[in-house]
């Protein structure tokens, strides 16, 4: 059994199609190379520890207590396809009781504890390596802001599923030639799981997401597991086969927004003016489909410049369409304006009304321009990151001690 | 024969559907109660005078010279329906020669002289009142800015056709009950022509427009003649039966724009992204059709408030859609922002890229708000007018000496 495991999984951004996706239109989401890192090790003290320093959570249980007081009291169900089901009402109640979490608690960081316990017990008791639950120490460090619509909880669930399945011998990574789109990986090779293993990881991660989010779409965990980009329509997720790695500037306006309120706002406009909003949503779908074609061309061809020009135009148009349906915000206008000073093109990503935006960067965009944009954005009170989309999904860091991509605090 | 005639005709604004109309979609244009006034009188000196002080033009010819040197040399043609045709190449050349205008001249104010001479000769020689051309003095004063896309030349052509037809006994106005939508008319009654006469005026005005503009759509002269609003699609003009009079603030950003360049810009985007731009144009059509329905409800019902709310939303959406197709401009964003300070809603009208915008005013919008908006707009270097759309078309001012709506300089 591997005793020291480091995995990472990316966040996600919606590239095109937010809001119209609610009306059955195509959306494209992509991995975001701001990653969640999980370090798991067999613990020497025989306890199980969940250490989430980013959200101020550190919990410890003895394996004995988990085996005697929690595991026997959980109903571990599966559906007719043999897929694990989320905890029953009764199990959820017992998980919360065991973790001393209020039964009405809905904060993600607390639900993450429940998610961990459930996945740990469920996956652990299926171990192929040992009988009984393993004593492990799990520490998570994330580059993703929490609650910003960037899939931070999905990336955590994916990492958790990966380390638990690997620790228990149910999924084993192997070395792959370095994939395009992963500027952060150790040079030369990436350790990844087989597609079957990835689908298994994704299945468990989705379960984790359900515990934290209730009714997730499955986009976040799928993108985080598989990397690259996915096309999403009517709850059907398909992989975008040819997704290049694209450098972006991601900006968090830090303006809080309510996805529910924004979705309701658009619905109201759609109910009121169907003859106008219907075609607008159709335009968004056309735009999302077109972007997929452009990504394909950029993936195939070494000459990507035309692709970048087209993506810039699509980004501008999409941003205006999102303004048209009323989910813009003065903070997002600000991002557009400040980045336009450097001739860069930005759009909101996610629900809008604040939240995040991304700015396309060309491979030859001078660093000074990027730095100037970041400076302006930070002075406006926004956070920003230079990162990339279309990055590799969950992967195994085979050589953590010499891996410069890992956050310093991870191996503490 | 009436010897002293004053008529006025309104300008026009496109309410919804600019640009999409180029793609065969519905547009709605309405009369704009900034008017062109023409005073025509039988001249005592026996000369024919065209006095356009707004554009610094004053020309005088003797009737004898017109009868002997111009009229016999003009080919006055009509088409197979008996409708008058624009001047032949040869006639145009002779008109310019006679008026001492360079043959390559394309400036509207000079072409207005040609238009006058052609209409004067053509209509004059058909006189039912006298043989020979009448000695007349024509003076025009306009409230419409020239070259701002507000139909100033059409309003002039309409007035010209109306006075010439009236002077020569070919169209005679009669008194009508005061029409809704004409806050500027003398109280109690409006002198107008019968529908047949109006259609005759419109036909000749269209001819005048053709001389000034080459290939006009016919929207401007139709709206100016008939007043109210028209629906325009694929060169077909139909009257919007129920058009209320609506108060607006009209702003001229004074930013010059080239309609041709903007239309080409949209075409380029449409060629490049048909799957996006097609639905966007469709949304604009849906919006134009919807606005016509809303006008109808507002016309029928004394309770107009819901209509105003809907128009405000449609104005906002339309403005964003126009931004989406790339015909916005920072000056127009400025108008939107400055009027939004007073909770007012604005959109560009016409080609965009500068030019004009209109702002909806509710009947109960406090004067202070309107004045505050005007102040801000003027400080930004824009011109603005409080006026109304859906106003009465061309009409005869039966009592010019006591008509307060007439510009002071008109009767000089």
């Amino acid at each position: 059994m591997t005793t020291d495991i480091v995995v990472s999984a990316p966040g996600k951004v919606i590239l095109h199609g937010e809001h119209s996706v609610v009306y059955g239109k195509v959306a494209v989401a992509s991995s975001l190379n701001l990653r969640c890192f999980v370090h798991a090790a067999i613990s020497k003290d025989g306890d199980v520890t969940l250490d989430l320093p980013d959200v101020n959570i550190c919990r410890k249980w003895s394996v004995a207590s988990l085996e005697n007081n929690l595991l026997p009291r959980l109903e571990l169900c599966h559906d007719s396809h043999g897929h694990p089901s989320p905890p029953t009402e009764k199990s959820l109640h017992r998980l919360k009781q065991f973790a001393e979490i209020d039964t009405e608690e809905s904060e993600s960081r607390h639900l993450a504890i429940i998610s961990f316990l459930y996945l740990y017990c469920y996956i652990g008791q299926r171990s192929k390596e040992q009988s009984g639950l393993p004593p492990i120490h799990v520490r998570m460090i994330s580059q993703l802001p929490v609650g910003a619509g960037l899939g931070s909880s999905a990336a955590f669930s994916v990492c958790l599923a990966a380390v638990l399945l690997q620790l228990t011998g149910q999924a084993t990574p192997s070395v792959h030639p370095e994939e395009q789109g992963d500027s952060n990986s150790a040079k030369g090779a990436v350790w990844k799981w087989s597609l079957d293993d990835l689908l298994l990881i994704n299945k468990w991660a989705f379960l984790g997401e359900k515990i934290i989010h209730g009714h997730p779409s499955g986009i976040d965990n799928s993108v985080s597991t598989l990397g690259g980009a996915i096309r999403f329509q009517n709850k059907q997720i398909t992989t975008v086969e040819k997704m290049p790695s694209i450098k972006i500037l991601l900006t968090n306006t830090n303006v809080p927004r309510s996805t529910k309120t924004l979705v309701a706002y658009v619905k109201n406009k759609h109910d009121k003016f169907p003859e106008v909003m219907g075609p607008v949503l159709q335009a968004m779908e056309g735009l999302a489909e077109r972007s997929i074609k452009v990504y394909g061309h950029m993936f195939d061809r070494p000459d990507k410049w035309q692709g970048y020009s087209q993506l810039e135009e699509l980004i501008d148009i999409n941003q205006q369409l999102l303004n048209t349906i009323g989910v813009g915000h003065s903070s997002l206008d600000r991002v557009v304006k400040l980045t336009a000073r450097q001739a860069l093109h930005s759009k909101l990503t996610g629900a809008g009304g604040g939240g995040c935006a991304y700015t396309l960067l060309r491979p030859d965009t001078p660093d000074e321009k990027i730095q100037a944009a970041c400076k302006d954005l930070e002075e406006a009170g926004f956070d920003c990151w230079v990162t990339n989309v279309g990055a590799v999904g969950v992967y195994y860091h085979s050589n953590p001690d010499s891996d410069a991509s890992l956050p310093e605090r991870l191996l503490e």
Side-chain angles (χ1 to χ4, degrees), chain A:
Chain A
M1 188 171 75
T2 319
T3 57
D4 223 313
I5 297 177
V6 174
V7 304
S8 71
K12 78 101 201 346
V13 278
I14 297 178
L15 294 173
H16 296 290
E18 45 274 275
H19 285 287
S20 47
V21 75
V22 176
Y23 298 82
K25 308 293 182 193
V26 170
V28 203
S30 159
S31 60
L32 173 72
N33 210 20
L34 297 175
R35 303 182 77 89
C36 172
F37 296 84
V38 165
H39 174 212
I42 294 297
S43 69
K44 283 149 201 161
D45 55 11
D47 286 337
V48 171
T49 313
L50 175 67
D51 186 13
L52 313 176
D54 293 337
V55 290
N56 257 333
I57 278 178
C58 187
R59 291 296 194 92
K60 191 184 266 198
W61 306 273
S62 72
V63 169
S65 127
L66 285 160
E67 283 191 332
N68 300 327
N69 302 330
L70 182 61
L71 187 56
R73 307 187 68 212
L74 289 182
E75 301 163 324
L76 301 178
C77 309
H78 49 76
D79 65 17
S80 56
H81 303 287
H83 297 161
S85 300
T88 59
E89 273 298 306
K90 203 183 275 179
S91 293
L92 195 62
H93 186 77
R94 284 169 180 171
L95 281 159
K96 285 183 170 173
Q97 221 168 20
F98 180 81
E100 292 168 353
I101 289 171
D102 191 276
T103 47
E104 298 303 312
E105 181 61 61
S106 64
E107 213 188 318
S108 301
R109 65 194 194 113
H110 290 120
L111 296 179
I113 303 171
I114 303 301
S115 179
F116 168 78
L117 284 173
Y118 189 65
L119 292 188
Y120 170 79
C121 288
Y122 209 149
I123 296 175
Q125 54 94 36
R126 293 176 161 209
S127 177
K128 292 182 175 171
E129 303 259 342
Q130 59 177 54
S131 63
L133 298 174
I136 57 169
H137 181 280
V138 168
R139 181 175 171 88
M140 187 270 284
I141 300 286
S142 181
Q143 297 166 331
L144 288 156
V146 175
L150 299 175
S152 64
S153 71
F156 170 62
S157 294
V158 170
C159 288
L160 209 57
V163 295
L164 291 171
L165 289 166
Q166 188 172 339
L167 265 172
T168 57
Q170 296 173 67
T172 310
S174 58
V175 70
H176 281 62
E178 185 176 16
E179 297 198 12
Q180 183 182 13
D182 182 41
S183 58
N184 278 4
S185 71
K187 289 292 163 219
V190 172
W191 282 76
K192 277 185 65 177
W193 294 265
S194 67
L195 184 60
D196 277 352
D197 278 358
L198 286 174
L199 296 177
L200 185 69
I201 289 170
N202 196 31
K203 197 163 70 178
W204 286 102
F206 189 45
L207 200 63
E209 267 286 87
K210 278 186 179 162
I211 294 168
I212 300 175
H213 276 312
H215 299 284
S217 63
I219 295 179
D220 291 14
N221 51 287
S222 298
V223 166
S224 185
T225 304
L226 300 170
I230 57 115
R231 183 183 180 280
F232 184 78
Q233 182 172 34
N234 287 325
K235 299 190 182 172
Q236 294 299 311
I237 293 173
T238 50
T239 307
V240 172
E241 292 299 337
K242 295 175 176 181
M243 180 67 197
S245 172
I246 296 173
K247 201 167 156 188
I248 64 159
L249 180 62
L250 184 90
T251 301
N252 187 355
T253 64
N254 296 313
V255 172
R257 79 264 178 271
S258 156
T259 302
K260 214 178 268 182
T261 309
L262 287 159
V263 167
Y265 181 84
V266 175
K267 185 178 181 306
N268 176 270
K269 271 221 169 352
H270 187 260
D271 289 348
K272 218 188 276 177
F273 305 115
E275 65 277 71
V276 184
M277 298 302 277
V280 169
L281 298 172
Q282 187 53 48
M284 289 178 169
E285 170 158 278
L287 197 150
E289 294 277 32
R290 178 59 176 269
S291 74
I292 294 172
K293 280 187 201 159
V294 178
Y295 300 139
H297 287 304
M298 291 171 75
F299 187 90
D300 284 337
R301 286 199 209 172
D303 169 22
K304 298 177 182 177
W305 308 115
Q306 207 194 340
Y308 276 101
S309 298
Q310 293 201 9
L311 288 187
E312 286 172 351
E313 283 193 69
L314 292 173
I315 283 171
D316 290 345
I317 296 173
N318 202 163
Q319 175 63 16
Q320 298 285 9
L321 287 171
L322 288 159
N323 280 331
T324 303
I325 63 173
V327 300
H329 188 267
S330 56
S331 63
L332 294 164
D333 293 342
R334 199 82 198 280
V335 174
V336 170
K337 220 167 210 173
L338 293 175
T339 55
R341 279 191 194 167
Q342 312 299 332
L344 302 174
H345 301 253
S346 307
K347 73 175 273 286
L348 71 84
T349 175
C356 292
Y358 74 85
T359 306
L360 189 71
L361 301 175
R362 292 176 179 237
D364 63 342
T365 303
D367 274 350
E368 308 85 70
K369 278 196 173 200
I370 302 174
Q371 281 158 19
C374 286
K375 189 167 166 282
D376 286 347
L377 292 165
E378 281 161 2
E379 279 175 10
F382 306 149
D383 294 325
C384 56
W385 299 265
V386 177
T387 178
N388 57 309
V389 294
V392 70
V394 63
Y395 75 91
Y396 169 66
H397 294 256
S398 57
N399 220 338
D401 292 326
S402 61
D403 189 339
S405 74
L406 299 184
E408 275 185 23
R409 296 175 300 146
L410 185 70
L411 305 179
E412 275 172 10

